Amino acid sequence: MVFPASTVTTTRRFNNTFHHSNGFVLVGFSEWPKLEMVLFVAISIFYIMTLLGNSAIIIVSRLDPRLHTPMYFFLANLSFLDLWYTTSTVPQMLVNIQSHWRNISYTGCIAQLFIFLGLGSTECVLLSVMAFDRYVAICQPLHYTVIMHSRLCQQLAAVAWVTGFSNSLVQTVLTFLLPRCGQYQVENFFCEVPAMLQLSCVDTWINEVEMYAAVVVIKVIPVGLILFSYINIVRAVVRIQSSEGRKKAFNTCGSHLLVVIMFYGSAISGYAYMAPKSNSAKLKGKLLALFYGLITPMLNPLIYTLRNKDVKGAVKKLLGREQEQGWNMA
């Protein structure tokens, strides 16, 4: 039985879209072998620091009763998120650099894109929730405990997680439905939507429209809410009479604002290199992805710890308790 050429072509595209025996090749930084070795050492150190720092924030927030507040509930959520955010990409990248085996299975690529995008989207919404928490704390201090009760905090955190992974589910499905016609080299060190769209052999304008619409919902709207919160916070802080009160308010919000600027700045800038034409543009795009995928999660605990007396005090108390237990056992 002879099938029409169009039917054969469609069948091949269908098979190529849903199955590839060897998966994909993550090009990463293979074009710069000397840079790869430097990055391997640096990324290994940064990853260990990310694991230790964020784990410390989670443990301290759970063990110290003084930190059982909305602010540290959301901070613990952020640290938990950052732990898995980096773990979804960094171990794979380190293995690829060390072994020069750059393959990732088809299923692994889907899982990596879904998890990384879901966690990144969740962080965007969670940062706006944290800004709202600071807004209520400074602009409505007398009603703070009434407004930010535990149930509302849990609901706001749930909204962030559900919104983030719902966006990821839609984008992941739409991205992997595109035919690739034999193209399998991903121009990055992990599977992400822009890099996967470049592999498609059909017009991707619908996906790109959907992606930029998602950017508006997941990134632009939360940024607008954060700006609204901080405009009102600044107005409230200016009205505080004591300089000590103003300093405390700015220190509390300064850590969060710095994290917001780093994360959103690098993430939004990454879209400028969505379809890089030159090697230098490719390198810049990959370094930006490395920044918001690893450096920002590593710096978050440091920023919150260095600028926060409560967290520093809780860490010292926890370390002192462990040291005291060690002496008693000895």
Side-chain angles (χ1 to χ4, degrees), residues 203-277:
D203 192 356
T204 60
W205 72 271
I206 294 178
N207 295 72
E208 290 175 19
V209 168
E210 187 277 331
M211 184 178 67
Y212 284 117
V215 168
V216 172
V217 174
I218 298 296
K219 290 187 172 72
V220 177
I221 292 177
V223 166
L225 294 174
I226 291 170
L227 288 174
F228 173 80
S229 297
Y230 274 101
I231 288 171
N232 286 280
I233 287 171
V234 170
R235 288 176 178 172
V237 169
V238 169
R239 290 197 295 267
I240 296 176
Q241 299 296 325
S242 66
S243 59
E244 186 65 27
R246 285 197 297 269
K247 183 180 178 182
K248 184 179 179 180
F250 277 124
N251 282 341
T252 303
C253 299
S255 301
H256 176 259
L257 191 58
L258 184 56
V259 169
V260 167
I261 291 171
M262 288 195 307
F263 179 78
Y264 277 103
S266 57
I268 293 174
S269 298
Y271 284 92
Y273 298 96
M274 194 181 85
K277 303 297 182 183

Side-chain angles (χ1 to χ4, degrees), residues 18 25 34 124 139 146 184 194 200 213 216 282 320-321:
F18 288 92
V25 175
K34 293 182 180 179
C124 291
C139 298
V146 177
Y184 55 88
S200 176
V216 172
K282 287 180 184 178
R321 187 188 302 167

Side-chain angles (χ1 to χ4, degrees), residues 3 11-12 61 93 99 200 249 255:
F3 294 98
T11 304
R12 285 176 179 171
S61 298
M93 178 170 52
S99 65
S200 176
S255 301

